[in-house]
Amino acid sequence: MELLPRRVGPLLPLPSGECGCTPGLLCRESGEDGYFRAREQERRVNITQQLVRGPSSFIPVGQIVQEGAQTDGRHLFLEAFVSTGRVEHTTMVMGLHPEYLARFWKTQYHLLHMDGPLPFPDRHYVAIMAAARHQCSYLVNLHMSEFLQVGGNPEWLHGLQCAPQKLRNLNEINKILAHRPWLVTKEHIEALLKTEQSSWSLAELIHALVLLTHYHSLASFVFGCGINPESDQEGGRPPSPRNCESTNQEDMINGSSGRDAMQEVEALMERMKLLQLEEEVASQEEMETRFEKEKAESSFVAPADLADHALTPSILCFVEDPEFGYQDFTRRGEQTPPTFRAQDYTWEDHGYSLINRLLPEVGQLLDEKFQVVYNLTYHTMAMHSGVDTSMLRRAIWNYIHCVFGIRYDDYDYGEVNQLLERSLKVYIKTVACYPEKTNKRMYTGFWRHFRHSEKVHVNLLLLEARMQAALLYALRAITRYMT
């Protein structure tokens, strides 16, 4: 049996095997069964404590347990516990889709704990900087703890002004990638690579950019699923009253609202069938017109409350220019930035190879993660089975890219309006662009008769589509710098 990869930095204390092996590792002498038995009670206590409040303020604990029991995610929870000493709330919610969780967890572990160009404390500090842009105290607190565990300088946690200039130089590209990635240029890349005394190598910068986009997008998942702070997080922001202002989803699907929700499912199924039967192929000009219309209409899709919320001091100290936020790609009365034509710079032909060349294995891990979530299906939709959901998944993915100004020449954006109800569009845009504004009413307001696991799947599509969009802008800027 191969040893499990050991986490860099101290694990929670675990008893040694009978043979005196290193804690936190499986060994041939003690055997897998003995090792797992020795930790079973500790694992149960740990997970039970986490479940007292539940990992999500949007999803009842019973639903996570019930829907999770239908999957094969338990061994992934155990692997996460063995390697990190805990099962984080994000892991428990993602565990509703174990095929995806396996790829996500492997990618994140590689970015944070395996050999790479960035020192280990710097990796967690970059994660803190990224999460702070979206006021995500859950991730900020988590990585402050991880930063100290891998030997980070406690002084840096007093704020960006205490960090080395090299890390502070990331602030500009951090805020742009978080809120308006289409503004990234080769000049931003050049400024980081050619700064005297605190310049980045290209490999280091690629590593940092992947971490930044990973944690911007993970913040979207945290807010989109209402993830609660871990029980051991000091000062973690609990779910706000905004997140608790609505009734449970189960209450909404009873009575007349339940009948309405069922009718919505049937209507969506019918629209999907009609679109699949249509033989008319729109011209390129018409396809472009439909994209421009969808892009323009997205500016009217936004959460009702866009008022600024004061950042807590523990978050504000890691944020420069806190007023900088998302603005619609198409703004009335302003010159529109050029549309990013996906065929001109694709992940498959350009982004993947650039990352893999400078950061071995990471390109492959990211590609597997993108592919798994995009193709993930159980052929079910609410109460229906045997459903081809590819059209719906594609509409969600392409709409997310649309709000970031990315257009696919071969996609008819008329399908977006046919398949995505307004409440779903509001939810998608909020989670992708203003994740800290997400509340429970938005979560319960769309797909009212769908399973929670299906809504979590929407959040996984959001996470990955958002990350890929930002990465494409950043990698295109690097390519232009190199050429």
Side-chain angles (χ1 to χ4, degrees):
M1 179 188 304
E2 295 182 357
L3 299 180
L4 288 178
R6 191 177 184 187
R7 173 192 183 193
V8 177
L11 289 162
L12 293 183
L14 295 176
S16 301
E18 296 178 359
C19 61
C21 64
T22 304
L25 296 176
L26 295 181
C27 71
R28 296 177 176 83
E29 286 80 1
S30 62
E32 181 177 5
D33 291 343
Y35 178 88
F36 286 162
R37 281 198 305 271
R39 283 149 181 78
E40 180 67 19
Q41 183 174 1
E42 182 177 3
R43 180 177 69 88
R44 287 179 179 174
V45 169
N46 184 281
I47 295 177
T48 300
Q49 288 175 343
Q50 291 178 330
L51 284 174
V52 169
R53 177 176 51 184
S56 167
S57 60
F58 295 174
I59 310 173
V61 177
Q63 292 296 313
I64 293 178
V65 173
Q66 179 181 342
E67 295 186 31
Q70 301 169 13
T71 70
D72 189 27
R74 288 175 294 178
H75 71 285
L76 294 173
F77 292 165
L78 184 53
E79 185 178 353
F81 179 76
V82 167
S83 296
T84 65
R86 68 194 303 159
V87 182
E88 295 168 2
H89 289 169
T90 51
T91 300
M92 298 178 73
V93 175
M94 284 183 184
L96 292 171
H97 301 281
E99 184 181 1
Y100 171 82
L101 174 61
R103 303 313 197 285
F104 174 89
W105 195 75
K106 185 177 180 180
T107 303
Q108 181 169 272
Y109 190 94
H110 191 100
L111 290 171
L112 293 175
H113 304 301
M114 302 298 283
D115 290 340
L118 285 183
F120 294 111
D122 290 20
R123 303 180 194 192
H124 293 287
Y125 204 82
V126 170
I128 292 168
M129 292 176 63
R133 285 302 324 177
H134 286 308
Q135 309 173 34
C136 188
S137 58
Y138 173 89
L139 292 174
V140 169
N141 288 319
L142 197 62
H143 285 280
M144 286 175 67
S145 174
E146 295 282 332
F147 173 81
L148 294 174
Q149 287 188 9
V150 297
N153 184 344
E155 291 294 320
W156 297 9
L157 298 183
H158 293 163
L160 278 179
Q161 74 280 2
C162 299
Q165 187 62 46
K166 182 175 179 178
L167 285 169
R168 293 172 63 186
N169 288 344
L170 279 179
N171 177 66
E172 185 70 12
I173 203 166
N174 176 30
K175 74 177 187 181
I176 291 174
L177 285 175
H179 306 295
R180 306 174 207 170
W182 54 86
L183 298 181
V184 175
T185 66
K186 66 179 182 180
E187 285 74 25
H188 290 111
I189 304 301
E190 183 175 20
L192 289 164
L193 296 177
K194 292 190 173 181
T195 302
E196 292 184 7
Q197 299 180 340
S198 56
S199 64
W200 292 74
S201 72
L202 196 51
E204 287 175 331
L205 182 56
I206 288 282
H207 196 171
L209 293 176
V210 174
L211 282 167
L212 287 174
T213 54
H214 176 86
Y215 281 99
H216 294 152
S217 301
L218 187 55
S220 285
F221 181 85
V222 168
F223 285 112
C225 291
I227 301 296
N228 284 323
E230 308 291 338
S231 58
D232 59 349
Q233 280 188 5
E234 293 295 333
R237 189 175 91 180
S240 70
R242 289 152 41 90
N243 288 347
C244 304
E245 61 190 9
S246 178
T247 56
N248 285 338
Q249 184 185 30
E250 286 71 23
D251 295 334
M252 295 183 66
I253 62 175
N254 291 323
S256 60
S257 62
R259 288 190 293 273
D260 291 343
M262 291 182 68
Q263 290 172 359
E264 290 170 5
V265 176
E266 300 298 335
L268 176 57
M269 291 279 293
E270 187 61 30
R271 289 195 297 273
M272 289 172 61
K273 290 178 182 177
L274 290 174
L275 286 171
Q276 289 167 347
L277 292 173
E278 282 186 0
E279 297 181 359
E280 177 187 1
V281 178
S283 66
Q284 278 298 314
E285 291 77 10
E286 178 62 22
M287 299 258 270
E288 184 173 355
T289 298
R290 291 175 184 177
F291 169 79
E292 293 298 332
K293 180 181 178 182
E294 190 61 50
K295 188 174 66 170
E297 288 181 354
S298 74
S299 64
F300 297 99
V301 178
D305 177 18
L306 279 180
D308 290 332
H309 296 274
L311 275 69
T312 61
S314 62
I315 298 293
L316 184 60
C317 67
F318 297 112
V319 177
E320 294 179 5
D321 195 6
E323 293 78 20
F324 188 92
Y326 176 84
Q327 289 184 349
D328 287 302
F329 187 84
T330 302
R331 289 174 61 81
R332 295 179 296 280
E334 295 185 10
Q335 183 177 358
T336 302
T339 295
F340 187 129
R341 294 179 68 253
Q343 282 74 10
D344 292 342
Y345 194 92
T346 68
W347 166 255
E348 293 79 8
D349 296 333
H350 304 93
Y352 167 82
S353 58
L354 178 57
I355 289 184
N356 238 29
R357 185 165 75 248
L358 296 168
L359 207 60
E361 296 186 48
V362 173
Q364 180 64 34
L365 290 170
L366 291 174
D367 187 64
E368 290 176 1
K369 189 158 61 79
F370 293 149
Q371 291 295 325
V372 164
V373 77
Y374 188 85
N375 296 311
L376 183 64
T377 183
Y378 306 95
H379 303 289
T380 60
M381 206 169 85
M383 70 292 294
H384 298 278
S385 58
V387 181
D388 179 0
T389 63
S390 58
M391 181 177 290
L392 186 57
R393 286 180 276 119
R394 184 171 64 247
I396 292 171
W397 184 278
N398 288 356
Y399 181 67
I400 297 163
H401 278 195
C402 175
V403 299
F404 287 107
I406 297 177
R407 174 190 166 221
Y408 292 86
D409 287 347
D410 59 351
Y411 181 70
D412 181 356
Y413 286 85
E415 292 185 8
V416 171
N417 270 333
Q418 291 288 320
L419 299 177
L420 307 187
E421 61 190 68
R422 180 174 174 80
S423 59
L424 176 54
K425 284 185 176 182
V426 170
Y427 179 81
I428 287 174
K429 187 172 179 183
T430 303
V431 175
C433 305
Y434 327 87
E436 61 277 8
K437 311 294 185 185
T438 310
N439 58 52
K440 188 173 182 180
R441 186 181 299 278
M442 295 178 189
Y443 177 88
T444 56
F446 78 93
W447 283 7
R448 293 178 296 163
H449 213 65
F450 282 66
R451 300 180 182 91
H452 286 288
S453 59
E454 291 170 309
K455 294 194 171 192
V456 171
H457 188 185
V458 171
N459 277 281
L460 297 180
L461 286 165
L462 272 160
L463 187 164
E464 296 301 341
R466 180 189 172 179
M467 181 178 183
Q468 189 183 92
L471 265 182
L472 285 173
Y473 279 111
L475 296 174
R476 184 180 65 170
I478 290 176
T479 300
R480 288 176 173 175
Y481 165 79
M482 294 171 66
T483 55

